[in-house]
Amino acid sequence: MTAFASAMTHRLPIASAEQTPPAPETQSAVDGAITSRRSIRRFLPTPVPRTTLEAILQVAARAPSGTNTQPWQVHVLTGAALARLSARILAAYDDPAQAAQHTEEYAYYPREWRSPYIDRRRKVGWDLYGLLGIAKGDKPAMHAQHGRNFRFFDAPVGLIFTIDRVMEQGSWLDYGMFLQNIMVAARGRGLDTCPQAAFTQFHRLIEDELKLDASTQQVVCGMSLGWADPAAIENTLVTERAPVAEFTRFHDA
């Protein structure tokens, strides 16, 4: 078991004024799992054992949720099921007439972009395309790269997340913490992930393929999970983060 995994699975006692802080190695392991998380865009085909997936989801389910509602529903795809969903979405994505018939159910991004958000969006896009040798204006190459989302970036595991339509905005906040838990728990086991809102455009195909009741279940997002390909240039991308002073105000008087 890695140091990450040991720290993630060890149950710490409830803190009290008399107790000492966690050991430095515990803090280091948890911080390391969080800070080493990146969106991986090319995976090795190496299978992930079902027992590992179940352990990750069990840990992730400790995410907080308002009045313990636990609003998450997870659909795990591997093998033929993953390949079948990928093929259906890619067929629609690569056909302009079909793609035009598929739209997102909710706005993930702002309808009006402004700084600093548009600047960050542009930078990460061009940083990735620069690594891949995709020039500005090369729409076929951009289309192909975006389409890799629907192959789950070659990962052996694809996750589709849904939520009951009766749940409101607070439950979506809870859902984000659950998703983060999955990604951190995966890192604790040496695995990598890529959360993907791209799947929301094709929610109707997902609903049909997974036999979801679209009247009650809504697709939240997808996620690729597996072992990162260390030879892939796109996996060297490390996105920038603003310093604490830029997004924080301390109120102490």
Side-chain angles (χ1 to χ4, degrees), residues 191-203:
L191 293 158
D192 284 283
T193 55
C194 185
Q196 296 160 269
F199 283 99
T200 61
Q201 177 183 355
F202 298 99
H203 64 91

Side-chain angles (χ1 to χ4, degrees), residues 37 60 63 72 74 159 161 172-185 193 195 220-223:
R37 186 217 63 81
W72 35 81
V74 186
L159 305 172
F161 301 95
W172 286 69
L173 295 176
D174 299 339
Y175 218 124
M177 292 184 277
F178 173 70
L179 294 171
Q180 175 74 356
N181 273 4
I182 290 176
M183 292 183 279
V184 173
T193 55
V220 174
C221 66
M223 184 184 291

Side-chain angles (χ1 to χ4, degrees), residues 125-126 128-143:
W126 291 123
L128 175 62
Y129 289 158
L131 286 173
L132 293 169
I134 299 175
K136 290 185 179 181
D138 189 347
K139 292 184 178 180
M142 294 178 187
H143 177 87

Side-chain angles (χ1 to χ4, degrees), residues 88-96 99 142-144 146-147 150 201-202:
R88 287 192 66 177
I89 295 178
L90 280 167
Y93 173 73
D94 287 332
D95 183 327
M142 294 178 187
H143 177 87
H146 184 71
F150 309 123
Q201 177 183 355
F202 298 99

Side-chain angles (χ1 to χ4, degrees), residues 3 32 149:
N149 274 282

Side-chain angles (χ1 to χ4, degrees), residues 98-171:
Q98 284 194 57
Q101 298 175 21
H102 295 275
T103 56
E104 298 87 351
E105 274 199 284
Y106 69 92
Y108 182 90
Y109 293 109
R111 293 179 174 83
E112 177 185 348
W113 285 96
R114 61 181 63 174
S115 293
Y117 316 112
I118 185 61
D119 308 307
R120 294 169 180 167
R121 174 183 172 88
R122 286 170 175 163
K123 177 170 173 44
V124 71
W126 291 123
D127 284 352
L128 175 62
Y129 289 158
L131 286 173
L132 293 169
I134 299 175
K136 290 185 179 181
D138 189 347
K139 292 184 178 180
M142 294 178 187
H143 177 87
Q145 177 59 29
H146 184 71
R148 286 186 47 72
N149 274 282
F150 309 123
R151 300 183 188 278
F152 292 93
F153 296 113
D154 302 324
V157 180
L159 305 172
I160 297 292
F161 301 95
T162 63
I163 191 170
D164 196 302
R165 291 183 183 275
V166 303
M167 308 308 282
E168 295 289 350
Q169 190 171 9
S171 292

